[in-house]
Amino acid sequence: MASETAVSTLTMPKPVDHPPLAGEPVSSESWKTLMAIMDAVVPSVQQGADSLPPAVSISTVNLPKEEYQASLASLRRYAAPSEDRLKQEDLFEAYLAEKPSENPVYERLLRHILLNVPPAKKRKLEMVLSLLGTRGGSLLLTGYVTPLTSLSIADRTKILHSWRTSALYALRALFKTFTTLGKLVHVRTSACHSPLTGFPTIPASWTANNSFPFDFLDFSSLPSSRTSKKTGTPIVEIETDIVIIGSGCGAGVVTHRLATTFGRNLRILVLEKGQHFDTSHFPMSQEHGLSSLMEAGGVIESEDGSITVTAGATFGGGGTVNWSASLQTQHFVRKEWAQDRKLPFFESEAFQACLDRVCEQMGVSDAKVVPNFGNQVLLEGARRLGYAAKVVPQNCKGEAHDDGHCGAGCWRGEKMGPVNGWYPEATRKGDVRFVQGMKVDKVLFGKEKKKGRKGKKKVAVGVTGTWTPTGKEGKSVKVVVKAKKVVVSAGTLWSPVVLMNSGISNPQLGKNLKLHPVNFVTAVFEQETKPWEGACLTSVINSFENLDGKGHGVKIEALCMLPGFALTFLPWVSGLDYKLMVARYRHLNTYFSLARDRDSGHIYRDPESGTPQVVYTPSDYDRANIMVGIIALCKILYIQGAKEIHPSLPGFRPFIRPSSATTPPALSGSSADALANMDLDKAITDPAFLAWLADLKAHGNKPPQTTYASAHQMGTCRMGATASDGVVDPKGRVWGTEGLYVADASVFPSASGVNPMITNMAISDWIAQGMCKELVDEGLAVRAGGDVMARL
């Protein structure tokens, strides 16, 4: 049993390092070619001279004096104020001169990212890079007979653009992959970007805060019962009543419900494959945050390269890295699930009670939410255009949580996700133990039980997996956990893989993947926005959430503006353009149009690595809805006075407001009636802007070159009224089994349409209530049944 104590006083967060490199992602020659591409995506920029050594000339962008001075002027305009002008000028030149192939930190992070790429994709990458390193292969892929490493930055840039406009999907995907990688690693490893823009890598008010001292089982200290005949790995066997795979939002609620209902009469074991970091490690650095807290280093690309998926992979799962947005499931989604999916629970008072309970437990409220500049732009722009908008409640105990760094871990411990809001009380009141570094391979089944006319059911009796020490050297241990009931809460990506490994053969398993795909728009403002200040996501525009009358449409929200996350999604035109654009960070904000996707993808298990692979291409239907949101978003940014509007649509020009133009006046007729009667298409009359909007719509957002991203994954273990329609039944039990449940966002019947945390937790609470009743009925709980039922 742990007790709450304060962490040691620190002056800055505890450092985190990458795990040791396990091999190389590609051959040494292919690595040189890859770095040549990275040097073109984010090149070294210098002022040209009359004569330059050939090696320098080919590997840098050498600008005429006038263009170089114009670049410096742009940096001066948007940089953080400085009293030391000479030192600042040196910083500007150093920033322009930065180069991936001369930055060991850049190369190290890139290696770590690529080592997470599935084996088949790594082989394809190796093949492409090998071809680009030869005369014949270069001619085939670029039109140049010279190997790519011997081409100038200008020629490499032309090649990237030729791929973007190619008729071949595979080449367009290459453009997307390489430019995304280059941008992602640059903003996370640049030594000059933070001092140039004034971004505080550590919040100014940072202090070491209290963190609940979780105890994690160390299997290296437990005696092994036997040794694997195949591998010689020690096997440790332990026993519990309930074993839960995963530690995210669903797992947290299930653990809490079981522990607070049965107290110490029920043993609960929570298994997490990631690592726990307490508040003293937060917020993590730009270099390490995504790598340490996210699945596959924060970069999961769909099979066709059309969308990038971000998913939490640390203790607390998505609840540790999300942006605190706490929106309840909407009526039209609940109606769809209840009536179309034949799951009446979702329109019941019982489900509403679950929604309210989880919100009350976390202190969900908007009472003290103060939107920052970026979120206020949405709220005020929506008001002026007559769009419906509102402040987004936060799960922060009803208190203000003005922490833009929270996406890299909540250093204040205020975000009431699993780690801060559910597990501490469960640990105090129940018999709960935790394991980190435990990758579960599969669920174990005992003897089948005959269930009347329905045939036999497989009975879950535990799980098996591999435990690896975290944060220290040590050997892996094979672990067998024997349990009376098993809950799979590994998330939408991993839960179906665990069930596949376990022999579950439901036709819906891994199918029905929903991702809430988004497109981005970035605005540059004359005034400083300091986008890292204030809470991450505190506003939503929902005028366009039901475009088809069937609950499919888009919401418009603000992006978490940590540079290592947000600046990756800026459009790429050239290396110099990108460097100058990200240097405007102090004056910009990025927003997105998020679709409640009608159409689906699926997950499959990689046959070599065993990891989940995403098959998903945003459909024409969903892309059209996203574009409606993009158009509306651009109107909002225009009416709010943005100087530049940059949709992340490769090949499409930004809107640049003429320097002589003024901020549009407030719209006349501020009453609800006047706005309702206004022709909103005529509320903005600037012919240049309207022509630009028409071109934007015509340009479209076709994949793969268009930037699509997802932070919400749902549906791969869908709840269904029958076994042919879903993986789990209306109580979260896996069809055809006994004692096996799934409790996470993978059970959503379709996309939630809102940030999924509250919906996930409410469904998990319902599933946990059912488990409590079954434990009593089956006599597996010691506490008297009447007492338990009263608590439910």
Side-chain angles (χ1 to χ4, degrees), residues 439-503:
K439 182 179 177 295
V440 172
D441 297 322
K442 63 181 179 179
V443 177
L444 301 174
F445 294 99
K447 293 183 179 180
E448 293 185 345
K449 286 187 178 180
K450 190 172 183 180
K451 291 292 182 180
R453 297 180 179 179
K454 297 182 180 180
K456 294 182 178 180
K457 282 191 173 184
K458 301 168 71 173
V459 181
V461 296
V463 302
T464 183
T466 302
W467 174 81
T468 303
T470 57
K472 62 178 182 179
E473 294 184 0
K475 295 182 178 180
S476 297
V477 177
K478 191 78 172 177
V479 178
V480 174
V481 180
K482 296 180 179 178
K484 298 169 182 175
K485 291 188 182 293
V486 177
V487 182
V488 182
S489 296
T492 296
L493 301 181
W494 276 99
S495 285
V497 170
V498 171
L499 294 181
M500 290 172 187
N501 291 341
S502 307

Side-chain angles (χ1 to χ4, degrees), residues 332-351:
F332 53 82
V333 176
R334 293 175 63 173
K335 180 180 179 181
E336 175 193 313
W337 293 357
Q339 299 182 19
D340 296 351
R341 309 306 310 177
K342 296 180 174 56
L343 298 165
F345 160 67
F346 289 107
E347 281 193 307
S348 70
E349 291 184 11
F351 182 54

